[in-house]
Every structure is written in C-alpha cells, then in structure tokens.
Amino acid sequence: MFQFIKDTLPKTIIDLENPKVFKIILISSIITLISGILIFFLFYYFLFTSLFSLTDPNQFREGGIIQYILSLKIFAILLGIVQFFASWIIFALILVPLGSIISGIYSEKIFFSINDIHKYKWNKKLKQNSFLLSIQYGCVSASKGFLINVLILPLYIFLPVANIFIFIAINAFIVGREYCGNFLVQFLNKEKMKRFFIFSDTELYIVGLIISLLYTIPIANFFAPSIGNILISHLILKSKKNIISLKG
C-alpha cells in the first residue's frame, strides 16, 4: 500500500507538468467547473431554499415555543454552520458523478499519454466502440454513486464536520472503482475486470480516498477527475507486472 503511494504520487506530479497532459487537464477542469457550478446552484436553489425556509420563525405562531427556539441567536449560528458544511459537501457530492462522466470522456487520452511518457509499453488493443463503452460505464456508475449519496444525504446535511469524513470514506470505494472501470471496460471483459478489482482492491481504495479528498478542497476539486485518471492509469499500466494475468 505505502509502496504504491511512494511510487505513484511522484510520477503523478511529474505528469501534471507535462504539456500534453496539462492541456487535457485544463480542458476537462474547465468543463467540470462550469458544469459543477451550474448544477450546484440549481440543486441549492431547489433543495436548500425550500429546506431552510422551514426554519423561518416568522411562519410560526408568535409567542410559541417553536418560534422562540428558532429566534434564538445560538440557533441561527448552528443553522449557519450546518448550512455551510452541507453546502460544501453537496457541491462535492455533485462533482462525484460529474467527475465520473468527465473521467470517461478523457480517460483514453490520458491513459495513452501516461503510457507514452513512462514507456509502460501497454500492448492490449482497444475494443470496438471503446469510447462509447467508457461513456456508458461512466454514466451508469455515476448514477449508482449518486443514488447512494442521495440515500445518505441526511447525514451530509445534519452532521457538520463529520459529514466531510463520511463523504470521503464512502465515496473512496465508489470513485476508485468507477474511474478504474472507465479504463478497463475499453480493454477487458467483465470477468477480467472483476479479477482486477479484487486483486487491486487496496490500491483502488487509496486512489478513491485521494480523489474524494480532492473533491472537498476548493479549486483542487475541479482537477480531481483528471488527477484520478492519472493515478488509475499508473495502477493499470503497472498491472502487467502483477500476478494477475490480463492477457487474452
């Protein structure tokens, strides 16, 4: 595990400085930025405006217990904290499926760029309609991941601070496999993909942790999909040295 981090992170930093890779990252990050902000404001408007309007003390009977509690300054402070951390996590939550789809769009270009830069000599051929397969896989995976996050949305909204750790821990498992699958589906059948997931389970979770953590950091979150693609590319390209066979 630690060897994987030690070997891969320095290479990823070098890759980010490569003009060819940087161009891809810049384009995908701009798309992520624009799409993420638009979706967030729509989501925020329809969800938060309705949800937090319920805490307006003016809509309750004057002199009542509920109005008194909602009028307390401490309640307003607590509500502000909840809203801040919930907004933070909601934005990251939106970027998870969005990043998975964008990862599918640019996965092939980044993969072969990393292969050429580090001379991995990957020789497996792409399937027919590999790009379509990657997009399809990304969309399906994004939908599943989004559904899981929606189911635990109350935890994200009502557990400030803790929601960040919950988000990272849960989505680390989701995004690690999603990003890896975007690549593997272009080369391998389902059986070999499952074998790779099992064999590389620890490394995939580590990559997922890094990506999920980046999703919670402003500015860095827009680069998370591209960085995730680079990390996964190294993991897969190294696989030919592992005991699992990807031939055939």
Side-chain angles (χ1 to χ4, degrees), residues 92-103:
L93 184 153
I94 291 171
L95 289 177
V96 170
L98 183 62
S100 180
I101 295 172
I102 293 174
S103 173

Side-chain angles (χ1 to χ4, degrees), residues 11-18 21 114 117-118 230 234:
K11 290 182 179 179
T12 300
I13 295 173
I14 294 173
D15 295 331
L16 292 172
E17 298 176 348
N18 184 282
V21 175
I114 300 303
I117 293 169
H118 296 277
I230 295 173
H234 283 293

Side-chain angles (χ1 to χ4, degrees), residues 65-78:
I65 296 177
I66 296 179
Q67 187 194 49
Y68 173 76
I69 294 174
L70 296 179
S71 300
L72 292 174
K73 187 174 182 180
I74 184 66
F75 182 85
I77 295 173
L78 291 175

Side-chain angles (χ1 to χ4, degrees), residues 6 14 19 30 40 43 84 120 139 148 155 205 223 235 242:
K6 181 181 177 181
I14 294 173
I30 291 174
F40 172 75
F43 194 84
F84 172 78
Y120 278 113
C139 289
I148 293 173
L155 296 179
Y205 191 76
F223 298 94
L235 176 61
N242 293 334

Side-chain angles (χ1 to χ4, degrees), residues 42-85:
L42 288 173
F43 194 84
Y44 186 93
Y45 178 79
F46 286 109
L47 176 66
F48 277 16
T49 301
S50 301
L51 182 61
F52 287 100
S53 64
L54 297 176
T55 61
D56 184 0
N58 294 323
Q59 65 179 326
F60 295 95
R61 182 173 60 86
E62 186 175 354
I65 296 177
I66 296 179
Q67 187 194 49
Y68 173 76
I69 294 174
L70 296 179
S71 300
L72 292 174
K73 187 174 182 180
I74 184 66
F75 182 85
I77 295 173
L78 291 175
L79 183 64
I81 293 174
V82 170
Q83 191 168 1
F84 172 78
F85 281 100

Side-chain angles (χ1 to χ4, degrees), residues 119-152:
K119 298 180 173 36
Y120 278 113
K121 297 181 181 179
W122 179 264
N123 56 10
K124 290 196 70 66
K125 294 182 179 180
L126 289 166
K127 295 179 182 177
Q128 290 185 343
N129 301 322
S130 58
F131 179 76
L132 181 60
L133 289 172
S134 181
I135 296 300
Q136 182 180 12
Y137 184 92
C139 289
V140 172
S141 299
S143 300
K144 291 179 181 179
F146 185 73
L147 178 60
I148 293 173
N149 279 296
V150 167
L151 291 175
I152 58 177

